[in-house]
């Protein structure tokens, strides 16, 4: 939500960043609200794929809606292909983990590059607000994941 507050101030059309935010909200609703409505509901692999793809697209396109620097669009495309590959029969989930992990690392590097070299004052402010929301959320996500993985 903090990222939305920062992005709201920048005038521009609907783009990849907004699409990624809608995807993140939709997948969160699919994993939290639908199980409350229907006890037999179980999120499918398509929900995991769309959630990971939405996070990767957000990371690469925030705040102006375009991947930057130039090589980032190729990394984004390759990462999305790796994330979607386990949806095909006979393909292991290792590709999804590798695609998301590498895309997340490169996405963080591109965000730092964009912040230092290319961002306007409004874009820097939006990036700060995004980090205000993502750092605690990422810490909780990784902490819960480690607890679940080790117990």
């Amino acid at each position: 939500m903090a990222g939305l507050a920062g992005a709201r101030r920048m005038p521009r059309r609907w783009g990849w960043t907004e699409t990624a935010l809608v995807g993140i909200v939709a997948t969160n609703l699919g994993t939290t609200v639908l199980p409350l409505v229907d006890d037999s509901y179980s999120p499918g692999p398509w929900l995991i794929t769309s959630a990971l793809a939405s996070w990767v697209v957000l990371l690469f396109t925030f705040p102006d809606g375009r991947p930057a620097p130039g090589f980032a669009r190729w990394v984004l495309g390759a990462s999305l292909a790796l994330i979607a590959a386990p949806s095909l029969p006979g393909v292991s989930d290792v590709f999804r983990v590798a695609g998301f992990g590498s895309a997340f690392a490169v996405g963080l590097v591109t965000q730092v590059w964009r912040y230092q070299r290319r961002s306007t004052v409004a874009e820097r402010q939006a990036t700060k607000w995004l980090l205000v929301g993502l750092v605690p959320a990422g810490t909780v996500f990784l902490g819960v994941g480690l607890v679940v993985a080790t117990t």
Side-chain angles (χ1 to χ4, degrees), residues 92-147:
S92 173
D93 279 340
V94 172
F95 288 104
R96 180 177 290 144
V97 173
F100 183 71
S102 62
F104 199 80
V106 173
L108 287 176
V109 170
T110 60
Q111 280 296 319
V112 169
W113 178 87
R114 180 190 305 250
Y115 184 84
Q116 291 178 342
R117 301 222 167 115
R118 186 172 166 216
S119 293
T120 63
V121 173
E123 290 173 346
R124 286 182 183 199
Q125 201 60 18
T127 303
K128 287 178 189 176
W129 278 110
L130 178 71
L131 289 176
V132 164
L134 279 183
V135 168
T139 304
V140 169
F141 177 72
L142 290 175
V144 169
L146 286 174
V147 168

Side-chain angles (χ1 to χ4, degrees), residues 4 14-32 46-58 61:
L4 286 175
W14 188 271
W16 287 106
T17 303
E18 290 81 9
T19 304
L21 287 170
V22 167
I24 291 167
V25 169
T27 54
N28 285 339
L29 289 175
T31 57
T32 57
W46 61 271
L47 195 60
I48 295 169
T49 301
S50 62
L52 294 178
S54 296
W55 278 106
V56 168
V57 170
L58 176 69
T61 61

